[in-house]
Amino acid sequence: MDFVFNEDQEALASTVKRFLMTEMTPELIRELWATPTGRSDRLWDLFASQGLMAVSVPESYDGMGLSEVEWALLAQTYGYFAGPEPLLDTSLVAVGMLNGLPSGAWRDELLRDIAAGAARVAVTHPVNPYVSDAHVAQVLFCEHEGELHRVMPDACSWQAVESVDPSRRLFELDWKPDASTRIASADEAAPLLAASLDRGAFAVAAQLLGLTQRVLDVAIDYSAQRKQFGKPIGSYQALKHLLADVAIRYEFARPVVYRAAYAIAHNDPQRALYVSHAKLAATAAAQLAARHAMQVHGAMGYTWELDLQIFMKRIWALAGSWGDTTFHKARVADTLIGARAPIGPARTFELES
């Protein structure tokens, strides 16, 4: 059994990493903080030119037709650079919803618009108290009493909610559902909302993996440059242990996130278990990385001038997005204990009949 990504998947992720390394800089992120929307149309167009918007869109709608397995690397890379744009909400979560809806004029046109970079989509879900990027969305998918509605921006109003991360633009939404906005009944919407929760939580977990690596890299670089008593502080055993603990936690979380991607892509019956495990593992790794990176930097880590704050604040913000730790622990417990799931080493390689 092959547990590694193939050459094409690695090459796609490598291409995106080189692109983001040039375009998604900390300097740009700081510039966007000062703009009214916090978003960049130029950057969104560049995402589309790189094919990022079309990853999950079926080929029949001008997309690439790839799965969550490819997103495992792409979302991790996006997290590493702390991209502020709603890339994953639109091209992974919203596209997943659209793929689950029957073909129709507006649905097919929206898929093509997403692939071309002509549309941002905001997605609401009961697990999230606020909706992100409603202010720049061309379309909003909203849940109401279990139903799924398609809401246009001019049919709703929103109130901004402050986030610990200046790049996160969160809103309280005010809108009125009616028959013209309903695109799925409660029965039809239930599997779509369940799948969007899993895709959203997986997307956050993958980004947290990337942020863990970025914060670790920042801490390692600082520990090599900062000197005390004539020696780099990274040469002291206490700091080595801090950074080694992060690296170990990261390596344990990585395959868990990749397993969740595979479970979503293949609609595994235990998908919710794997996704919640991934969110928990990635959140724990990222939060540990943030704490230890701050300890390595000392008082300097609290200053506005250091880029470390960009990545730490994103970790804090994403930790509660698409379900907090309590929520995902409860999902794991329900699956393992309540449903008496077949688990353990003897079950690992069982094939489903």
Side-chain angles (χ1 to χ4, degrees), residues 39-205:
R39 301 294 176 258
S40 167
D41 290 337
R42 171 187 167 276
L43 193 60
W44 193 258
D45 291 340
L46 287 174
F47 286 166
S49 69
Q50 293 292 315
L52 286 173
M53 307 309 307
V55 171
S56 295
V57 176
E59 294 183 42
S60 55
Y61 300 105
D62 306 325
M64 300 169 67
L66 302 178
S67 74
E68 288 75 15
V69 174
E70 283 76 23
W71 273 116
L73 292 177
L74 296 177
Q76 183 177 344
T77 303
Y78 193 64
Y80 185 90
F81 293 96
E85 293 285 347
L87 171 66
L88 294 162
D89 283 354
T90 296
S91 55
L92 175 58
V93 180
V95 168
M97 277 186 165
L98 289 168
N99 288 338
L101 290 169
S103 179
W106 72 265
R107 176 253 190 196
D108 298 349
E109 181 180 359
L110 183 54
L111 279 172
R112 292 191 175 92
D113 284 346
I114 291 173
R120 293 180 177 92
V121 182
V123 180
T124 71
H125 194 282
V127 78
N128 288 326
Y130 307 115
V131 57
S132 62
D133 292 285
H135 65 313
V136 293
Q138 279 70 43
V139 181
L140 297 96
F141 288 155
C142 301
E143 181 273 343
H144 177 73
E145 296 182 351
E147 298 177 338
L148 187 61
H149 293 256
R150 177 174 64 104
V151 183
M152 308 310 290
D154 57 3
C156 61
S157 60
W158 49 80
Q159 181 68 38
V161 178
E162 189 174 0
S163 171
V164 67
D165 177 7
S167 290
R168 294 272 290 172
R169 301 299 169 99
L170 304 176
F171 301 88
E172 289 183 333
L173 212 59
D174 184 21
W175 62 285
K176 292 183 178 180
D178 58 43
S180 65
T181 63
R182 187 188 305 112
I183 58 176
S185 66
D187 289 340
E188 295 167 337
L192 297 177
L193 290 170
S196 68
L197 169 59
D198 288 334
R199 288 191 179 93
F202 154 71
V204 169

